[in-house]
Amino acid sequence: MARETLNILIGGEAGQGLVTVGELLARCLVRSGRHLQVTQGYMSRIRGGHNTFVLRTSVHEVPAPAEGFDLVVALDPATARIHEPELKPEGLIVVDEAWGLTGGNLWAVPYKTLASGRYMNTASLGVIGALIGLGTPVLLAALEKAFGKKHPDQAAENANTLEKAYAWTRENRSDGFHLAPAQPGPTRLILNGNDAISLGAMAAGVRFCAFYPMTPATTIALNLADRAAKLGLVVEQAEDEIAAVNMAVGAAYTGLPSLVSTSGGGFALMVEGISLAAMLETPLVAAVIQRPGPATGLPTRTAQADLEYVLFSGHGEFPRAIFAPGTIDQCFHRTVQAFHLAEDSQGPVFILSDQFLSDSLRDTAPFDLASVTAVNPADRHRAALEAMGSADPSAPYQRYALTPSGISPRLLPGLSEHLVVSDSDEHTEDGHLTEDLDVARKMVEKRLKKADLIRSRIVPPDFWGDDPADLLLVGWGSTLGAMIEAGQSLRDRGRRVGVLHFSQVWPLAPEQFLVRLESAGRVVAVEGNATGQLANLIRRETGFRIDAVVLRYDGLPLTPEFILRGLEE
Amino acid sequence: MARETLNILIGGEAGQGLVTVGELLARCLVRSGRHLQVTQGYMSRIRGGHNTFVLRTSVHEVPAPAEGFDLVVALDPATARIHEPELKPEGLIVVDEAWGLTGGNLWAVPYKTLASGRYMNTASLGVIGALIGLGTPVLLAALEKAFGKKHPDQAAENANTLEKAYAWTRENRSDGFHLAPAQPGPTRLILNGNDAISLGAMAAGVRFCAFYPMTPATTIALNLADRAAKLGLVVEQAEDEIAAVNMAVGAAYTGLPSLVSTSGGGFALMVEGISLAAMLETPLVAAVIQRPGPATGLPTRTAQADLEYVLFSGHGEFPRAIFAPGTIDQCFHRTVQAFHLAEDSQGPVFILSDQFLSDSLRDTAPFDLASVTAVNPADRHRAALEAMGSADPSAPYQRYALTPSGISPRLLPGLSEHLVVSDSDEHTEDGHLTEDLDVARKMVEKRLKKADLIRSRIVPPDFWGDDPADLLLVGWGSTLGAMIEAGQSLRDRGRRVGVLHFSQVWPLAPEQFLVRLESAGRVVAVEGNATGQLANLIRRETGFRIDAVVLRYDGLPLTPEFILRGLEE
Amino acid sequence: MVDIKEYGQFETAWCPGCGNHQIIQAVKRALAEEGLRPRQVLMVSGIGQAAKSPHYLRANVFNGLHGRALPAATGARLANPGLKVLIESGDGCSYGEGGNHFLAGIRRNIDVTYIVHDNQIYGLTKGQASPTTEFGFVTKAQPQGVFNTPFNPVAAAVGLRCGFVARGFSGDVDHLAGLIRAGMAHRGFALIDVLQPCVSFNKVNTFAWYKKRVQPLGPEYDPADWAVALQTAHEWGDRIPLGVIYRDETRVPLEDRIPALASGSLIGRPVNQTVLAEIMREYE
Amino acid sequence: MVDIKEYGQFETAWCPGCGNHQIIQAVKRALAEEGLRPRQVLMVSGIGQAAKSPHYLRANVFNGLHGRALPAATGARLANPGLKVLIESGDGCSYGEGGNHFLAGIRRNIDVTYIVHDNQIYGLTKGQASPTTEFGFVTKAQPQGVFNTPFNPVAAAVGLRCGFVARGFSGDVDHLAGLIRAGMAHRGFALIDVLQPCVSFNKVNTFAWYKKRVQPLGPEYDPADWAVALQTAHEWGDRIPLGVIYRDETRVPLEDRIPALASGSLIGRPVNQTVLAEIMREYE
Ligand SMILES: Cc1ncc(C[n+]2csc(CCOP(=O)(O)OP(=O)(O)O)c2C)c(N)n1
Ligand SMILES: Cc1ncc(C[n+]2csc(CCOP(=O)(O)OP(=O)(O)O)c2C)c(N)n1
Ligand code: SF4
Ligand code: SF4
Ligand SMILES: [Mg+2]
Ligand SMILES: [Mg+2]
């Protein structure tokens, strides 16, 4: 019987190429009409150790990673040993005959006879493809797309190896793991959270990105660097995170939509710059991709433990917004929103993601680029200039004019006769430093007033499931899918379950969700941290005390199974 | 009729010596048995501008600064102009005859005839001393203590000038501003908040302080540097705040009770180091002296706007404590407690003060040094070593041994055969880096477990006034005195008023205060910020919503009058 | 040449007698003489006494964080290479808190003119030692005197092959204005370390102290000779050489290397939808 | 001499063929040959591949934050001058994120031996340019090649008159162990920049590339001559000199200048109650 869903783990040492095999397989699955969600687990090293690339694939949508594997493809003997306990009863571990391993669930492949050295991974792909019933055309096409241009000399051998491994597998094991047939629908994208954030930034008109490498945030900057020349943007690797954020504020002051990307420890060094952006009222988007702390912690694992840290980062008081996407689509769209909100509120806006989502390749419908408007500070500059009409250019331009909304018309330096003065000290309306305490008070109020705009645009939390619910799961960011799947499985058992997911975690608008909390039988927060940060924030904002928490803080993503176990406790 | 209380403002340009005059006067007042509270207002410049030194003095205790001046001593004409509106109806502005100012409340002194150039300030002191009825002996003694050793050549001329100015004043204006007589009691200290924090640190056994200059925190380090040689401690000016905090963590790891002092912007750069201290489980005391932000803000003014910022500083999750002294005595004792708690909980502990308190000279009873025990990591090292008994020194010492309390016996490096291994990555019990996620989970729990110890030692908020109260004022840190005085003035008008003051703002123990909130008629938070940070924190921790707030955020300290006006609104 | 009056006249918060007064004068003169109008100029600074300078002339101003003027200036220059970007900040700001950016900025060779008001002290915070404070100098923070070897910024910059390295003196406005003009004319990172008496906190390196020692390099001096420049840069004693100590016109500024900037400033450039769609298709 | 076995043998997380394997070997040998026992040694590091080194020998370990090894080591040394403090970290950690501490540490002249594993790349984060990466080197973060002038740490340190500056090569363990011993013997800040092939991310500066160029300085070379040292330090091309490039034994380490440390480590020293009471009386 064909399988609707398969959970496939590819495991091996860093450097063995398991990501290459995994990505090829991912592409084949999506091309052949299946849905997909990838979970990557890797160590903070370049060679050796034990890494995993898990593909959960289905003819239906795949909301979350899951426990228990149907197939374990071991690129090294350790993988077989480590993941044997996680194998489903009917599962299979594909190993290399050469290792001489034996056991009930092991299936040995004579790789040596199928491929030579550098083509081993191609053989693996052939084996897996055949096992799960993908056709050779889709496999070959994927190989060609990946290596055709880069290594044309290896094309023939690659194809040969693939076909050989494929054929061998079909002959020796044709049963058990075939995926149910699917019709390839309209084109789907395959991309991970960081890809989608990068694409969102590009669509939103990002023109400047400064960064200092830090896992799991680096790939955002690398994505942009890769397209910098053709799309017309500047990506600068800074000497440290302090330089990165100050460069970005400098570029933003001058008129470029700007982005910084980092993780917890690097963000620490940006905290002063965040406060600077707030004081200068400069738009700035900061993507903070979480990993477990404190300090260096687990640099390649996932966590949701920096919500409060980001929310209260920066000395002094100023408004901000924090988006916490839970899907690839949200990664894209929240990023676009972040750029607009930063521009409109003239201040810092955050995208808070995590390693799991950042590395999780998924299939998604192409983004409707035509519907996205890019921010363009120069347009606003022109509009503001026009509004000023024949204002005397020798009268100092009031960059920080006190307005009812708290938002002042923003000109850009060098683009008109008006001089743009910005100062990190408290300042008068014209931007010059002041120690007039009455002005200081008004400026504090002006900056905080901008919260109104931010509040008027809050993305409400998404609700899924039964309303009212006996059990309401509440979460944010990357846990969305796991909550929904856990919820569904309880609903299948007859319970009334709802899921409330925040893809914007600050500010909170109680009127958007409080009644759901109050009307639910039992409310449980599901978070990737050890203290229940969203739960605490909800209490701070509404007084509502969430009944219980399911928390994960071992560096792994929440799974439906983990949530269900947690609910039973 | 003699006055029980006087509010005296000395004003002038930076560099005119108003602090010298003010400090001399302060000493004379305290020596002659009066109580005192000083409020300093100065600009971010070295010469010129307009600075103030306000002495509120009384035969009773002086809890807070107050509005309205009895005497304005103008060292420059601007002072007379600026502060005229703040003069009480019967008040007097002392000016220099030479300026040619006239007006009802002005009293011109012919300084030129009383003193020559460098002795002008001495003449001022003589005039004020005579006006408020201090005797010449106490004035001369203060002069001698201040300048006797440094400038013996000027002693005679100083004394002459003082006596001349004194005599002239007695002749020309003997009425109105004499302080009621007081009996000098047991010796009182005259010191400000930063002095008391420094003294507390020294008493607690601080051995290492690293800092980067930043107003209003610098004087803590300068106080320590001044005594470093004689008391045996190392004070190092670092190249930046990042270096400062990492030096301190390095010194603390090695076995020295360590302190960093800074303000908001500098603290931003320490945030990563705070997370490091938490991860390495290294004791560290950080004194954060608040000033208004964001960014550079108002570098020489006061604020209480960094409570949440400090509370959630550092990525990842770990326990901490934050003390917020409201008096000089609390500055001393909370600092001592901070060192003990940092040592016992093996992690970061904060002292959160502000510019107002840091510069506010007050009279205080000498601290009972004999009752203070200094922390001594070496003692603990020895005790831990003894407890290990004949443990095999070749078996790796478990710096991060999992214990029920979360606290592991701490040895110091180099002092025994045992090697001390600390790593900012997640680590095993022996301190070496690990990517074992099961161990990671246990280590998260271990670190958070230490919150139990911290919770067991919470300093409860102080309560003053009527219980139950119709009106309960709730605040933290330096606003204590202003709340009490505002409260008293309402009680004088027949209302039942209470004041709840937190000198420790984290963690909060609802059982220590919630019933007071619940039983009060109306609860009003009084804070030096624009968002009500303590009020929000209380809601987060208890669900209790404080009814109203009186907030000040113009850079000036809360006064009783400000609170009373705020309550009326 | 632009009328210097365009740059205005302002009251300052500096002490009377402070060298800063002359430096700002020299800056204004240099800007006017270069024919720059205020709208073309962006003055960037950090925090400190020197860092207040941009408030005392008419120009676009970015007065950022202590120690962080250079990265902000870098971002601004990369955003709009049409702006003439000058930095004015103190020795503490530039070589202390900002030391890492100083190293990186020279390597990056961004086209900014960096004028450091070097009073060998932290002025605004009341007189602690800065990186350039002399060995043994006593302050409240260094009661036993400074233990560290002083930083010689000119020597460090020449060592790093910074394309333009000069030393000026606030006491010689004409000479200084000339250096600033030369620095602005240089395409790439230009460092001008300006010796500046601080009358309030530096009672050692006074106006007289400098006056006695500074000595402008003569016309025979060839700033293109790196070995000689290195030697000259290390001179610091009875004679302190002033002038352009090293100049290398062959270094290409960063702005010229970045493909996206080949057609000028990115400000207002609309997103190329075709390219964007292409990029998205890479993920199919 | 201590048995090198005391320092143990550990599995590492490094790639096979990485130069780090030899460096740690040289460190262990140097420690043993200097007669130091593990308990006397404190190994400090930041974050990166190189920074994992302290986990691969038996010693006291402080593995701190990326870029911050030196300040932590400074604090530790000032706390306990009885400890022999060595730092091992990468070029990115030491000259990139930690650049400001590098400048300050040399000026401060704290007595630590700083061994930089200089693979001219950010290894652990998968191959972005570091400050020492060569001009034009292409990475995913620098797709047009590195635009910055590479940082020559040896030249910078000599320029700052660092008291001990050496360059080693992971491919010559004997020579390197000798340098480390000499660095440890030096009283004050000792920099040893170690050329280290990264087989995974630096395909330009390979073992063969280095091997062809490195050339140990002969016995005739006088590291006390600063001018010669400066010149030698700037040599980087077909010939790359190895060895102690500069040494100045006259510089006094910071530890010797601090009055509180005159009688040794402060650890466990009780508070002098008489002095404390005196200090309190100053406030009467
Ligand atoms: C992050 C941070 N740390 C410290 C300060 C405090 N601070 C302000 S100015 C200054 C030193 C100024 O010295 P310098 O740069 O030499 O300028 P000068 O006042 O001497 O002109 C310091 C340390 C700050 N504003 N921000
Ligand atoms: C504050 C901070 N920023 C960034 C990182 C990410 N990071 C870890 S190692 C590293 C670079 C390592 O390069 P290098 O120091 O040269 O060491 P190598 O791996 O090459 O030995 C970076 C950027 C971090 N851990 N902390
Ligand atoms: S303190 Fe020094 S640097 Fe600052 S204004 Fe006064 S003289 Fe100038
Ligand atoms: S990535 Fe490079 S530096 Fe890191 S272990 Fe591998 S070879 Fe060595
Ligand atoms: Mg200075
Ligand atoms: Mg490296």
Side-chain angles (χ1 to χ4, degrees), chain A residues 514-536:
Chain A
L514 187 54
V515 347
R516 294 208 192 265
L517 300 179
E518 285 168 346
S519 63
R522 185 161 178 257
V523 182
V524 178
V526 177
E527 303 189 50
N529 59 52
T531 59
Q533 300 193 14
L534 178 66
N536 286 331

Side-chain angles (χ1 to χ4, degrees), chain A residues 20-34:
Chain A
T20 311
V21 178
E23 288 184 352
L24 284 168
L25 189 58
R27 178 156 276 127
C28 297
L29 286 164
V30 175
R31 287 274 175 87
S32 62
R34 274 78 175 198

Side-chain angles (χ1 to χ4, degrees), chain B residues 368-534:
Chain B
D368 179 8
L369 298 178
S371 74
V372 175
T373 320
V375 295
N376 193 328
D379 285 348
R380 287 163 195 252
H381 165 86
R382 274 186 293 272
L385 208 56
E386 236 162 70
M388 288 168 67
S390 55
D392 174 9
S394 74
Y397 156 63
Q398 309 273 63
R399 170 65 188 90
Y400 301 96
L402 295 169
T403 63
S405 66
I407 294 157
S408 319
R410 174 169 175 241
L411 296 186
L412 302 178
L415 301 198
S416 77
E417 281 302 312
H418 297 285
L419 302 175
V420 181
V421 177
S422 286
D423 183 8
S424 72
D425 294 275
E426 196 51 275
H427 39 253
T428 45
E429 289 179 88
D430 65 7
H432 284 293
L433 88 98
T434 186
E435 303 203 40
D436 181 324
L437 302 182
D438 199 48
V439 172
R441 182 180 54 74
K442 286 184 189 142
M443 284 292 165
V444 171
E445 287 166 0
K446 167 204 196 317
R447 287 187 292 267
L448 289 175
K449 190 83 183 84
K450 297 195 290 180
D452 292 350
L453 172 83
I454 296 174
R455 286 191 173 275
S456 75
R457 300 231 198 126
I458 298 174
V459 180
D462 288 311
F463 181 80
W464 171 99
D466 301 310
D467 184 20
D470 289 338
L471 171 69
L472 180 65
L473 302 180
V474 178
W476 56 286
S478 72
T479 58
L480 171 62
M483 289 197 294
I484 289 186
E485 231 179 292
Q488 188 55 51
S489 114
L490 291 172
R491 289 173 90 194
D492 292 348
R493 291 184 235 161
R495 295 194 54 182
R496 290 185 58 86
V497 183
V499 168
L500 188 66
H501 176 265
F502 291 80
S503 66
Q504 179 170 1
V505 284
W506 189 261
L508 297 179
E511 67 277 14
Q512 293 175 345
F513 61 86
L514 186 54
V515 2
R516 295 210 191 264
L517 300 179
E518 285 170 345
S519 63
R522 184 161 178 259
V523 181
V524 179
V526 177
E527 304 190 49
N529 59 52
T531 58
Q533 300 193 14
L534 178 66

Side-chain angles (χ1 to χ4, degrees), chain A residues 212-213 241, chain B residues 272, chain D residues 49-50 66 91-93 97 119 121-125:
Chain A
Y212 187 82
E241 288 85 351
Chain B
E272 195 188 9
Chain D
Q49 296 283 30
H66 181 61
D91 46 325
C93 197
E97 186 87 74
N119 55 8
I121 205 79
Y122 283 8
L124 190 56
T125 48

Side-chain angles (χ1 to χ4, degrees), chain C residues 110-127:
Chain C
I110 183 88
D111 186 357
V112 300
T113 306
Y114 199 147
I115 303 163
V116 180
H117 299 218
D118 189 352
N119 56 8
Q120 304 185 246
I121 205 79
Y122 283 8
L124 190 56
T125 47
K126 303 198 171 172

Side-chain angles (χ1 to χ4, degrees), chain B residues 10-21 46-51 73-79 96 99 117-118 120-122 124:
Chain B
I10 307 174
E13 296 187 359
Q16 280 196 296
L18 74 166
V19 173
T20 311
V21 178
I46 303 302
R47 295 271 176 281
H50 177 64
N51 290 0
V73 180
L75 302 190
D76 68 346
T79 297
D96 189 335
W99 303 335
R118 79 152 51 109
M120 228 44 136
N121 287 333
T122 304
S124 282

